[in-house]
Amino acid sequence: MEIRRSKVLDKMRAGEVVLSTKVNIADSRVIEIAGLSGIDCIWTDMEHVGNDFAEIEKQNLATKAYGMDIMVRVQRGCYSNMIRPLELDASGIMVPHIMSLEDAKNVVYMTKFHPIGRRPIDGGNADGGFGYVGLDDYLKQSNERKFVCVQIEDPEPMAELDEIAALDGIDMLFFGPADFSHGIGAPGQFDHPQLVEARRKVAEAARKHGKFAGTVGGASQLAELVKMGYSYINIGADVSALRRHFSGIYNDFNEAMKNI
């Protein structure tokens, strides 16, 4: 028995672009709908959203049923917050607000196994086939097939960006424009020159060191982002889709009522 492969890593390693979408709602049926739509990866959240590990487990099972990956944005804190999604067999984790090279080194230390880091070993959970995967295979394949994505979403780590990207154990750099704009004192100004330059530098650093770059965007930005070097693009979110849907119903209702 083996650790399951990551669709995200396999596609990016083959030079393809991954389509992701963000899911805030805990109900795993949302993920089933996304799976039927053909989306590659679900980005679920424990930083800003009140999901617990039982909900993450159900979401993960839904992605596995539809051949998708799931990336869990973890809570910062103890190592358990970072490794439990992996032990539930999540495809990868996203660690928010990496602020320095030392911060990134600590993430690697806690989330990758020997010889890269010192992630605590269990192997008796879903990611290790509840013990059916041998220890040597478990450690080696986990390092190769579970991805660690770090968010560059603040100006502080930019001074050490090249060193962060060079770290063995970092699989993806993810540029977060919203918090970056906040961090430079220009909230929501996504065309700010400092933000535009940072987005370019993140992709360049990832490419230079054989890592992958991810970010958020829209279909209209896809060509620009891919040309820049981004191969993991998150488009949209469930809450945004529902907001548009319910606003549309409300507006259609009011328009119809004018004719009654």
Side-chain angles (χ1 to χ4, degrees):
M1 188 170 180
E2 296 185 346
I3 298 286
R4 79 179 173 111
R5 302 191 66 87
S6 163
K7 185 175 186 178
V8 165
L9 288 177
D10 285 349
K11 287 194 72 168
M12 293 193 300
R13 286 168 180 166
E16 300 177 49
V17 177
V18 168
L19 170 60
S20 164
T21 197
K22 191 168 188 288
V23 170
N24 282 10
I25 297 169
D27 196 320
S28 59
R29 286 172 288 192
V30 175
I31 291 174
E32 291 190 70
I33 296 169
L36 290 166
S37 302
I39 287 168
D40 297 316
C41 185
I42 294 297
W43 163 13
T44 191
D45 202 351
M46 299 186 80
E47 181 195 16
H48 292 292
V49 183
N51 290 325
D52 61 28
F53 286 112
E55 290 163 337
I56 296 296
E57 183 175 34
K58 286 189 288 186
Q59 290 182 327
N60 183 45
L61 289 170
T63 61
K64 291 163 78 171
Y66 289 88
M68 293 187 289
D69 273 13
I70 187 168
M71 176 174 70
V72 182
R73 179 158 63 182
V74 298
Q75 298 171 297
R76 295 301 302 260
C78 68
Y79 76 85
S80 294
N81 290 345
M82 297 192 189
I83 67 167
R84 281 179 183 165
L86 296 174
E87 291 178 330
L88 291 170
D89 207 19
S91 311
I93 58 169
M94 173 193 278
V95 184
H97 294 290
I98 295 296
M99 301 301 282
S100 67
L101 175 60
E102 191 62 30
D103 191 13
K105 285 181 177 178
N106 287 333
V107 168
V108 171
Y109 184 82
M110 290 187 285
T111 58
K112 290 289 187 177
F113 289 126
H114 175 83
I116 302 172
R118 289 278 298 278
R119 173 183 159 185
I121 299 172
D122 190 305
N125 294 306
D127 65 325
F130 301 101
Y132 280 107
V133 179
L135 180 61
D136 289 345
D137 287 338
Y138 176 61
L139 303 187
K140 183 175 185 293
Q141 292 171 14
S142 292
N143 281 349
E144 293 172 350
R145 300 181 185 182
K146 300 290 182 185
F147 61 87
V148 173
C149 169
V150 295
Q151 279 198 277
I152 306 298
E153 51 183 342
D154 301 275
E156 287 84 351
M158 294 302 294
E160 297 178 298
L161 180 63
D162 193 66
E163 293 89 345
I164 292 169
L167 282 177
D168 192 12
I170 299 294
D171 301 293
M172 185 181 354
L173 303 179
F174 193 101
F175 181 66
D179 273 316
F180 195 91
S181 72
H182 190 206
I184 62 174
Q189 295 181 33
F190 300 125
D191 59 351
H192 191 284
Q194 190 175 343
L195 186 150
V196 172
E197 179 69 3
R199 182 168 53 207
R200 181 187 62 80
K201 285 183 175 180
V202 167
E204 284 182 354
R207 187 168 59 247
K208 175 183 175 182
H209 293 285
K211 309 300 174 65
F212 302 110
T215 192
V216 296
S220 63
Q221 300 168 287
L222 190 59
E224 177 190 0
L225 292 172
V226 170
K227 184 177 180 181
M228 203 177 294
Y230 285 96
S231 56
Y232 182 108
I233 314 293
N234 188 90
I235 299 179
D238 54 356
V239 291
S240 300
L242 286 171
R243 186 180 68 245
R244 290 192 298 270
H245 175 68
F246 291 125
S247 293
I249 291 174
Y250 178 78
N251 291 334
D252 289 347
F253 173 82
N254 283 308
E255 284 299 314
M257 286 297 293
K258 292 177 183 177
N259 299 319
I260 295 176

